[in-house]
Amino acid sequence: MLSKKVKEIMTTEVITTTCDVDVVCAFEKLMKNKISSLPVVKDGKLVGIITATDVGHNLILDKYELGTNVEQIMISPVVTVSPEDDIETAIKLMKEGSASGILNQLPVVEDGKLVGIISDGDIIQKIF
């Protein structure tokens, strides 16, 4: 299982947002689609990511001014994985995480373009 390639289990139809979208609209998109993160793209290239946890928490605390857009709050640079990497590499990257902790999902990037996303749920489903 750990030697399988990311491309074998990643989700290829990724729901994304753009830099100019209002934070509230982006959060609604996260909730409507029941997803935990939204990669931020510009011309097909990954430029950042936002998470439901971060955005929801900050909305509750009223930390955003009216008109705050995704570009102002997105995490960048983004920890990513290649479609040719193996699952073990993806798991290690998720475990190493970022300054905010363990990552639940990794955008899959090839030549700078977003081609998929892999989540801890995708990996668990393949194990069991």
Side-chain angles (χ1 to χ4, degrees):
M1 167 59 195
L2 294 178
S3 62
K4 282 189 179 232
K5 301 282 185 195
V6 166
K7 67 183 177 183
E8 295 177 59
I9 68 169
M10 70 183 190
T11 300
T12 55
E13 293 183 25
V14 184
I15 298 168
T16 63
T17 190
T18 56
C19 295
D20 60 339
V21 171
D22 185 271
V23 170
V24 174
C25 293
F27 186 67
E28 287 172 348
K29 193 175 201 178
L30 286 161
M31 296 299 98
K32 178 184 171 197
N33 291 288
K34 298 178 182 172
I35 53 177
S36 60
S37 69
L38 271 177
V40 183
V41 295
K42 185 174 184 178
D43 301 324
K45 297 205 182 257
L46 181 70
V47 294
I49 194 165
I50 62 169
T51 69
T53 303
D54 290 344
V55 176
H57 177 78
N58 288 321
L59 281 171
I60 289 168
L61 295 176
D62 202 24
K63 288 193 171 184
Y64 302 134
E65 293 179 20
L66 188 62
T68 300
N69 65 33
V70 168
E71 186 172 31
Q72 294 170 279
I73 62 140
M74 69 184 184
I75 299 162
S76 183
V78 183
V79 177
T80 64
V81 68
S82 160
E84 295 300 324
D85 285 335
D86 57 36
I87 301 305
E88 185 173 10
T89 299
I91 292 170
K92 284 179 183 175
L93 287 169
M94 287 177 171
K95 183 180 174 195
E96 290 167 7
S98 65
S100 59
I102 292 176
L103 302 172
N104 297 25
Q105 61 282 314
L106 291 171
V108 183
V109 176
E110 188 170 46
D111 298 324
K113 292 195 120 185
L114 181 68
V115 295
I117 195 162
I118 185 168
S119 70
D120 50 4
D122 295 330
I123 295 167
I124 291 167
Q125 283 183 341
K126 291 298 177 187
I127 292 173
F128 297 103

